[in-house]
Structures are given as structure tokens and as C-alpha cells.
Amino acid sequence: MTMDRQSLPRRLWQIAHREIKNYNRRPLFLFTMLIAPLVCLVFFTSLMGTGLPTKLPAGLVDEDDTHITRIVVRTLNSMQETNFTHRYSNFSDAREAMQRGEIYSFFYIPKGLTEDALANRQPRLSFYTNEAYFLPGTMLMKDSRYACELAGLALTRETLYAKGLTEDQAMAVIQPLVIETHPLGNPYLNYSVYLNNIILPGILILLIMLCATYAIGYEWKRGTQRELYALAGNSSTVALAGKLLPQTAIFTLMFMLFDVVFYRFLGFPCNVGIVRMMLLGFITVLAAQAFGVFLFGVFAGKLRLSMCLCSLWGILAFSLAGFTYPVPAMHGFLQGFSWFFPLRQYYLIYVNQALDGNSIFYVWRSVTAMLLYVLLPIPVLWRYRYIFLKAKYIE
């Protein structure tokens, strides 16, 4: 049966309207498309609202207890990440407290440190961090190392003053080179900027693939797939397009909401304008839906298998996207495999555009990959005719 062009918009509207009615029968659709993304948005943005974890519990063992050691302790305690919540009289008590998980690190000042420092006997300051908790342990290690270096430089400066050097001469000896650091893309070193811009789109991509697959398979579950096929004028393309049209609109609006919250309310860096990021979100929605359609077609309408593979693909994307562990440091096979995940391409385009503000030419491979994802259903459209007419739902 051939469908005339004038009836195409009408058929798409009828299928989309029919799909919206299905949402009323299955509130799970609206929960997945509206409530779950909003809950994730509120949760993750509030969880990392300060940018980085601050005032992490740490312990202190100050066996020397002199004026100089108290200055070192005050300096360390004034840092953003460190909070000396516990003081211990000896090393063993602090070690046991860290093993119990009460503190993430402790700073150890041995007896006689000040005396040895003034006598140029090179005393040792020690700190211990629990790297089983990688993030807090690493952040406290950074603060402790910085405080130790400041303490050593301060003692050296006092020694040089005692030898008659001026402040400029002493500083030239202590710091012969002035170091400037310029963090690009995320100058505030805001953890929320780095993670939320990828974790939340990653969750949305996972939900999009699952919703697309389940919405299509729901027809076979209800036994109404032939009705849908007839309504589409016996066209698999029209049936799939009309069925996914409401989801496309809702998820695109979700991406736009995320962009508005990120770049307008939270002030995350966006060097290319919010409209371009919204366009990236729209393409990402189409790519994720196309991936779900492709898997459902490959497995000939097996809903459970298709959804399981969508879930696996979405979870693996968080590991292979490259924002937690760099892809160039992975095994060669995994480097190539990462190109099959839309989140990987989204991450590369986001960094290039929003953070760096570079020309889109530098990520043309990722843009091309995104467009190829959108075309994924084409090779399996011929199978959908068989699926619509002959495939049956399997529990």
C-alpha cells in the first residue's frame, strides 16, 4: 500500500496522539521521561552544590605542641577541604580511628620537630591518607602536602632572616621561579561543572534508549502492532517516527531544561552559547532513540533482550566515555570500542564547545559519529516489516 504525501503529517499526528493515550495507561512512561530526570537533576546539582567536597574530617597528632607547630596546624585547618575534627595524643589512636572510618587522614607532628628544625637537622612532618576513599583521600593529601611545603619554606625564610638577608633576597632563594597556573575550561576547578554535565546527560541517554525500546515493544506486549502498522499506512518508518515523536519532544525539552539550569542558573561555563548546546541535546536524543530502534530491530522484536542490552550499553558508556578514566590510556580495543557509545561523542563535543569554545571542526569525527547514530535504524527497517506482521511477543 502506497501512502500519499498529504496524508503523512495526519498519520504521524494520529500515531503520536495514540501514543500519548498509551502514556495515560502506563504512568511508568511519564515517570521515566519527566519525574526521574527532574529528580536526578535536583539530586546531583544539590549534592555537588559547593563544587567540591569541603571540610572533610581529619585527625591531628601534635606531639611537639609549640608556637611553630600551632601555626602549621592553623594554616592546614584554614584550607577549604580540611577540618581537624579529632585530636589524638599518639600515632596509634589516630591510625585506629582512620581504620574505623572516623577520619579520612591524619597529620602527625613528632616530638622535637621545632628544635630539630632550628638546628637544621631536617625533621620530618608526616601525614597519612586513606586512599580506599579515593576522592577525600586525594584532596586531603593535596592540602597536607601543601601545608608541609609551606612550613618548610617558612622555617627556611626565618633562617635566612637570621643570617641578615632582606625579604627580597630571602624570597629569591626560597622561590627562584614564580609559578603561574592557568586551569583552562574549568578555572574554578568546580567538580560539579565536570561531572554533572556528563552524568546527567548520560542518565538521560540511558532513559531515552530504554523508553524507546519499551514503547515499541509495548505494542507487541498488547498485541496491537498490526493496528499500528495499518495506521501508518504499512510503513515501518512512519510507525516508528510517529510513535517516538512525543518522546523526542519531551526528552528534547529535558535537555533544554538541563542546559538552562547549568548555564543560566548555576553559571557553568558555556563559551559557544546555550542554543548550540540545545542543538547538541536534540541530536543526542535522536541518536539514543535510533540506537534503541536499531537493537529492537536486530533482535526481531525481543523486548526483554533489547532492553537488557540497552541497559548494559548505557552503563558501560559511563566507563568508556572518558570523563572518569582517559580513553587514550585504555587498551587499544577499548579505545576503538568507545566510538560506539553516544555519550563518548557527547562528552568530546561538550568539552570542545562549552568548555573550550573551539571550532566544531576539531570534533568533526564526533559530530559525524552522532549523525551516523541517527541513521542506525536504516539497515534494519526491512526487518520491521516482518516484525510487525509475524513476530509475536515472548515473555
Side-chain angles (χ1 to χ4, degrees), residues 307-367:
M307 292 191 67
C308 287
L309 194 54
C310 282
S311 300
L312 177 62
W313 214 260
I315 296 301
L316 282 177
F318 289 101
S319 299
L320 295 175
F323 70 97
T324 53
Y325 189 84
V327 170
M330 296 180 184
H331 187 273
F333 170 77
L334 295 178
Q335 293 183 35
F337 192 50
S338 67
W339 281 88
F340 293 94
F341 295 87
L343 184 59
R344 169 63 176 166
Q345 314 311 325
Y346 181 92
Y347 169 62
L348 293 176
I349 298 173
Y350 156 72
V351 171
N352 175 269
Q353 295 289 285
L355 295 186
D356 296 339
N358 294 331
S359 169
I360 197 70
F361 171 78
Y362 293 103
V363 285
W364 68 268
R365 291 183 179 88
S366 296
V367 175

Side-chain angles (χ1 to χ4, degrees), residues 110-173:
K111 182 71 174 176
L113 178 134
T114 303
E115 181 181 349
D116 290 343
L118 295 177
N120 294 323
R121 288 196 288 266
Q122 288 188 313
R124 290 187 178 181
L125 275 173
S126 303
F127 57 88
Y128 299 82
T129 58
N130 189 351
E131 294 301 322
Y133 303 95
F134 184 74
L135 180 60
T138 302
M139 298 179 70
L140 288 171
M141 180 178 66
K142 180 194 68 173
D143 279 4
S144 299
R145 183 184 293 275
Y146 184 61
C148 289
E149 293 173 353
L150 287 180
L153 292 175
L155 290 171
T156 302
R157 184 186 62 180
E158 296 301 323
T159 302
L160 294 176
Y161 286 168
K163 292 181 179 180
L165 272 69
T166 64
E167 181 177 355
D168 291 339
Q169 291 172 331
M171 291 305 298
V173 174

Side-chain angles (χ1 to χ4, degrees), residues 70-89:
R70 285 192 289 272
I71 292 176
V72 174
V73 172
R74 283 198 300 270
T75 300
L76 186 56
N77 204 30
S78 66
M79 294 183 178
Q80 186 178 15
E81 288 85 14
T82 305
N83 182 25
F84 286 128
T85 57
H86 299 78
R87 291 177 179 260
Y88 304 97
S89 58

Side-chain angles (χ1 to χ4, degrees), residues 209 212-213 285-297 309-310 313-314 340-342 373-374 376-377:
M209 290 192 297
T213 306
V285 171
L286 295 180
Q289 287 182 322
F291 203 89
V293 172
F294 173 76
L295 289 180
F296 193 84
L309 194 54
C310 282
W313 214 260
F340 293 94
F341 295 87
Y373 294 147
V374 177
L376 267 178

Side-chain angles (χ1 to χ4, degrees), residues 39-49 192 196 199-200 203:
V39 170
C40 291
L41 177 64
V42 174
F43 174 76
F44 282 103
T45 54
S46 60
L47 178 66
M48 293 179 280
S192 183
N196 281 331
I199 287 181
L200 289 172
I203 293 173

